Amino acid sequence: MMTNNFQFYRRIVRAILVILGVTLPFIKINGNHLLIFNIYTFEFHLFGLSLQINQFLPLLALFLFFTFLFLYITVTFGRIWCGWLCPQSVSMELTSFIQSFNKGNLPVKTFKIILLYALSVMIAANILLYFIPYEIFFDRLFGNEFSKGIFTALITLGTLLFLNFWLVRYKFCATVCPYSMLQSILFDKHTLAVWMIPERRDECINCLSCVKVCSTKIDIRQGQNSACINCAKCIDACANVMGKLGKKSLFAYRFGEENKKRFTRFSSTVSLFLTVISFIIFILIAVSTKKVQVEVIPYQKFLPRYIHDFAANGYVLVIENGDNKDKTIAIEIEDLSGYEITPNSIFKVKPKSKEDFTFFVKLKRDLLENTPILNLKLKIVNKEDKTSEIKNISFRRPITSRRSKK
Ligand code: SF4
Ligand code: SF4
């Protein structure tokens, strides 16, 4: 007799998801979180990689990867995400005890409400940990530097989740969820979904077990419904009923009503191809993206001037260190001799910080006799990473020939 197979596997999947969901924000690789978007530094931490919000290309590649992955899964496997993996439906199952709220007496009702609220706040804290590094989150809630902002976010999100878990529940999946609305566009006649097996329709004894257990309160016997989240409760419920008659469930996961698998059809193949390509591109870009970004801009407050036998120009070196370690940057001018860089040509930058350094280049004034502007190649050497790059900078002849002392 077939009994509740899919719900057994859903429970296992749910347990794995809960463990992953709770532990992921605490795991670090190379000093970076495994998976968070840090709202303090505007950085994505993804599997040990750290991507800043202004790193357009890797973020675009990442966005495209998730878009194509989403298209592939939806076109091929329908709402399997909704019924098995979506945080909303996982939370609904974790808080299903509230559905029997009206059946209890006052102490039981009070206990259920307190338990639901406590669970909601814990889930809210778990969600916030994907945006606020756990070190900051716990320090600002329980340490010396109490943060009203984090506390307010926690209580507000916890209360919204509480209302969602208590009052909205699966209505969200069947009505307002944008993913559900996209299903009708992306589905085709070979997409995986829960179907009543057409050739066995006549065996239905109209016990309504499948309707009673349905998460979104639909009657899938009437045909496909965009509110179905593929949770398979109807399959198991019918299996229980039919099992007593020595038969199998009248419902099943099928690739279209006729259950013809077409994994190589155009929409599946193209979306899978684009998913793989965009993932490879993302990895290549992310790995090759420099952790230290350097810019050189003219120092506007310092007009080019002569100092004794030298002409001097001022610049600002902007160094953004996205790494977790100190960085030492040295500068020199390529293919030129007889110049000076003051006051420093070596700069140290702390981890995860952006600093501006002013420096001056002095050249022998003879070099500017025949030209108002010299194009210099500034070599920027990253000492720790043993990498270097060249930035072109313009060195301007001072407007006045008056000698000034610095
Ligand atoms: S019809 Fe079946 S699979 Fe769809 S939501 Fe209802 S119980 Fe879940
Ligand atoms: S559970 Fe099965 S037998 Fe009962 S009404 Fe639903 S389809 Fe018919």
Side-chain angles (χ1 to χ4, degrees), residues 196 204-211 221 237-238 241-242 250-251:
M196 187 170 203
C204 173
I205 58 171
N206 210 22
C207 68
L208 296 184
S209 294
C210 53
V211 180
R221 296 175 304 167
C238 191
V241 175
M242 285 287 126
L250 298 182
F251 299 103

Side-chain angles (χ1 to χ4, degrees), residues 187 192-196 218 220 222-228 230:
F187 261 47
L192 186 74
V194 172
W195 287 88
M196 187 170 203
I218 58 173
I220 198 75
Q222 309 300 326
Q224 282 298 289
N225 189 315
S226 62
C228 173
N230 281 5

